[in-house]
């Protein structure tokens, strides 16, 4: 079974929390414009299969420093992470939708080959 959790802004944190609590063996997160919850440590994050994390280049809420720290935390936990800085501000833009679609197709291809 595969589950995908997606969230924007504050919903990104909720997507991470829901994903680490889910029972599915494969759990993917698409997080846009929101950070990884600070209470989730490497042990919890390792429950995830992969993560797409995005921010808008002009996003004033989800700052470049927070984004970089989140990417580092996810990578340190050993996750397959795709980090994207895309055009726009604090929004789920068409570019985010395109990145999410590519991410989902890649995960489906990986799952089919296993």
């Amino acid at each position: 079974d595969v589950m995908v959790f997606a969230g924007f802004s504050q919903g990104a944190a909720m997507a991470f929390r829901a994903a680490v609590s889910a029972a599915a063996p494969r759990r993917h997160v698409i997080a846009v414009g929101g950070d990884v919850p600070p209470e989730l440590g490497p042990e919890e994050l390792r429950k995830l299969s992969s993560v797409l994390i995005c921010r808008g280049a002009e996003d004033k809420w989800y700052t470049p420093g927070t984004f970089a720290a989140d990417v580092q935390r996810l990578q340190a936990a050993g996750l397959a992470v795709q980090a994207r800085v895309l055009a726009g501000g604090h929004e789920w833009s068409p570019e985010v939708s395109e990145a999410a679609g590519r991410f989902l197709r890649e995960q489906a291809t990986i799952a089919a080959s296993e």
Side-chain angles (χ1 to χ4, degrees), residues 21-41:
S21 298
R26 294 175 194 234
R27 297 171 254 178
H28 308 282
V29 174
I30 300 171
V32 180
D35 56 345
V36 179
E39 75 273 8
L40 297 181

Side-chain angles (χ1 to χ4, degrees), residues 1-4 25-28 49-50 80 102-114:
D1 290 342
V2 176
M3 297 183 86
V4 177
R26 294 175 194 234
R27 297 171 254 178
H28 308 282
S49 301
S50 65
R102 282 191 305 274
F103 174 77
L104 292 172
R105 285 189 296 277
E106 289 169 10
Q107 300 316 311
T109 300
I110 292 167
S113 68
E114 293 179 345

